[in-house]
Amino acid sequence: MTAPLPYGKQTIGPEEHALVREVLESDWLTQGPRLGQFEQSLRDYCQVRHAFAVTNGTDALLLACRVAGLGPGDRFITTPNTFAATANAAVMCGAEPVFVDIAPDTLNIDPNLVEKALAADPSIKVILPVHFAGHVCPMDRLADLASQYDAIIIEDACHAIGGQWLDRENRWHKVGSCARSTLTCFSFHPVKCMTTGEGGAITTNDDQIAERLTRLRSHGITKNPALLEKNDGGWYYEMHDLGINARLTDLQAAIGLAQIKHLNEWQQRRLALVNQYDAELAGLAQVNPQARPASEDRHCYHLMVIRTSRRRELYDFLHDQGILVQVHYSPLHLQPYYRRKFATGPGLCPEAEKYYSEALSLPLFPSMSDEDQKRTVAAVRTFHLQGV
Ligand SMILES: Cc1ncc(COP(=O)(O)O)c(C=O)c1O
């Protein structure tokens, strides 16, 4: 019997084992040298001034929203086609969500509707776009809107590390470079493009924001002599801000250090698998993959998303064969919490609602074999062509 095929999973090699063992045998399981080294590798990789490795993508978003100054009375724009953590982070700060519908082809937030929302509501302070499945949002356009309406952009790039996007002057930017945003957040959960077990990161080019993040991710505490109100001795610290413990351990940072070296190779493999899926499914009228960029595609795809009218039956059919497809996402504005607290409901974002009824994520991960992909494609074709 063939082993079940997950929709996503980590790739772990000998270097991860060796580096974790080294940390285990060292004096520092947390707050040791590996964290700083991992943060340096993130800065180098993303081509950005500051990077903070934190406990998970959720805390990355929470701290980003805090440092962006979101609070009660503020509103923020985000997409309903995302994981709960995206909007939850800003709501935890006391802000109110404005869910803006998606474009039906890219499945990302629709910039024309973002413009409408900004024009209608001056209390919108933050735009929180999500690069869904790894497909980067139109950052030039969103940045124009942010500057016109005095909002800041926090990118939820939890799906997208390893990717690049082309600006209107034909320059490529790494996701995480914050070329058109104030902050970018990543997740290193095992199904994502790279992993640290649990983990996440925040990047920014803003020195003041970085200075505050240094404190916020560690209880708001500082030992920086330049900031202390007094100094009682070598042990002395002060708490200047209300923070949390969002530190990544050295064990996790060691995994990240090994992982990031493979990111380019994994991006290539993910892209090749996605292109192969697109080619093989192109003949099936009932199946529509997510749109790809018009120019060269350098996205790092976290998910291989298709739309299909008989989603429920196809989901069951594939699961019966051990192909463990998933659905991303049930629209956030329809979750009971959001419906009850913010009076959102059906009809608010019709494209996201329609997409959800058709959405399916096929298996995609770098170590997936060509045979596993063939098996998946054959099952999808059989289902549609033989009218299962
Ligand atoms: C779009 C998006 N945002 C945020 C998160 C939260 O990341 P984490 O699971 O690392 O807390 C996820 C993870 O599933 C995600 O997919």
Side-chain angles (χ1 to χ4, degrees), residues 139 143 152-155 177-184 203-205:
M139 292 310 297
I152 74 160
I153 298 180
I154 301 173
E155 293 173 72
S177 64
C178 297
R180 299 286 183 279
S181 68
T182 303
L183 293 137
T184 302
T203 58
T204 184
N205 290 310

Side-chain angles (χ1 to χ4, degrees), residues 22 166 175 180 241 298 305 329 346 374:
E22 203 181 276
L166 193 61
V175 172
R180 299 286 183 279
D241 225 326
R298 295 194 190 174
V305 172
Y329 287 101
K374 283 195 183 107

Side-chain angles (χ1 to χ4, degrees), residues 56-58 61 82-83 85-86 130 156 158-159 187 192 199 329:
N56 50 54
T58 305
L61 286 159
T82 187
F83 186 56
T86 310
V130 176
D156 180 337
C158 287
H159 292 188
S187 164
K192 300 299 198 296
Y329 287 101

Side-chain angles (χ1 to χ4, degrees), residues 218-234:
S218 201
H219 307 282
I221 281 173
T222 184
K223 284 189 97 171
N224 181 348
L227 299 175
L228 296 179
E229 288 181 5
K230 60 175 187 153
N231 197 341
D232 291 345

Side-chain angles (χ1 to χ4, degrees), residues 17-314:
H17 287 268
L19 289 179
V20 169
R21 177 175 291 276
E22 203 181 276
V23 175
L24 280 173
E25 288 165 0
S26 80
D27 290 337
W28 300 94
L29 298 190
T30 191
Q31 292 178 279
R34 290 305 186 190
L35 179 67
Q37 289 164 13
F38 179 44
E39 290 181 333
Q40 182 63 50
S41 72
L42 283 167
R43 281 196 288 278
D44 294 343
Y45 188 87
C46 296
Q47 296 161 2
V48 68
R49 278 174 69 77
H50 305 280
F52 296 88
V54 295
T55 26
N56 50 54
T58 305
D59 283 342
L61 286 159
L62 181 65
L63 291 173
C65 290
R66 278 285 311 281
V67 85
L70 268 183
D74 296 329
R75 302 183 93 201
F76 68 98
I77 286 176
T78 197
T79 168
N81 186 29
T82 187
F83 186 56
T86 310
N88 290 0
V91 171
M92 291 247 186
C93 295
E96 189 177 330
V98 176
F99 289 107
V100 167
D101 208 357
I102 59 170
D105 52 354
T106 64
L107 311 174
N108 277 331
I109 199 163
D110 182 334
N112 294 327
L113 300 178
V114 170
E115 179 163 23
K116 263 194 182 166
L118 286 165
D121 187 346
S123 66
I124 293 171
K125 195 163 172 178
V126 162
I127 307 171
L128 192 29
V130 176
H131 305 314
F132 177 68
H135 189 121
V136 179
C137 294
M139 292 310 297
D140 278 330
R141 178 84 197 282
L142 291 178
D144 287 347
L145 292 172
S147 95
Q148 187 182 344
Y149 290 96
D150 205 16
I152 74 160
I153 298 180
I154 301 173
E155 293 173 72
D156 180 337
C158 287
H159 292 188
I161 194 166
Q164 294 182 51
W165 59 277
L166 193 61
D167 73 13
R168 55 167 73 107
E169 264 102 44
N170 264 337
R171 285 174 309 216
W172 288 97
H173 298 280
K174 282 273 177 69
V175 172
S177 64
C178 297
R180 299 286 183 279
S181 68
T182 303
L183 293 137
T184 302
C185 298
F186 294 124
S187 164
F188 303 136
H189 181 274
V191 293
K192 300 299 198 296
C193 297
M194 59 169 273
T195 190
T196 58
E198 294 281 355
I202 312 167
T203 58
T204 184
N205 290 310
D206 185 309
D207 295 345
Q208 276 181 347
I209 282 182
E211 213 268 313
R212 188 150 176 241
L213 277 174
T214 310
R215 290 197 300 275
L216 280 181
R217 69 125 167 233
S218 201
H219 307 282
I221 281 173
T222 184
K223 284 189 97 171
N224 181 348
L227 299 175
L228 296 179
E229 288 181 5
K230 60 175 187 153
N231 197 341
D232 291 345
W235 68 90
Y236 186 74
Y237 63 80
E238 286 173 2
M239 190 192 124
H240 285 199
D241 225 326
L242 190 59
I244 57 174
N245 175 0
R247 296 184 305 261
L248 197 73
T249 66
D250 270 42
L251 291 162
Q252 293 164 297
I255 300 173
L257 269 170
Q259 291 268 302
I260 203 167
K261 293 185 196 159
H262 295 279
L263 201 45
N264 288 346
E265 154 206 337
W266 290 340
Q267 181 268 338
Q268 291 287 310
R269 176 65 182 155
R270 285 177 179 276
L271 185 60
L273 287 163
V274 161
N275 288 338
Q276 187 66 19
Y277 269 128
D278 284 356
E280 302 234 15
L281 297 173
L284 282 179
Q286 304 91 331
V287 170
N288 278 309
Q290 184 182 25
R292 309 294 169 209
S295 59
E296 185 187 340
D297 192 347
R298 295 194 190 174
H299 291 154
C300 187
Y301 287 103
H302 158 49
L303 300 172
M304 172 64 209
V305 172
I306 58 164
R307 304 180 71 143
T308 172
S309 54
R310 292 175 60 223
R311 191 272 309 280
R312 173 114 199 203
E313 293 88 339
L314 180 57

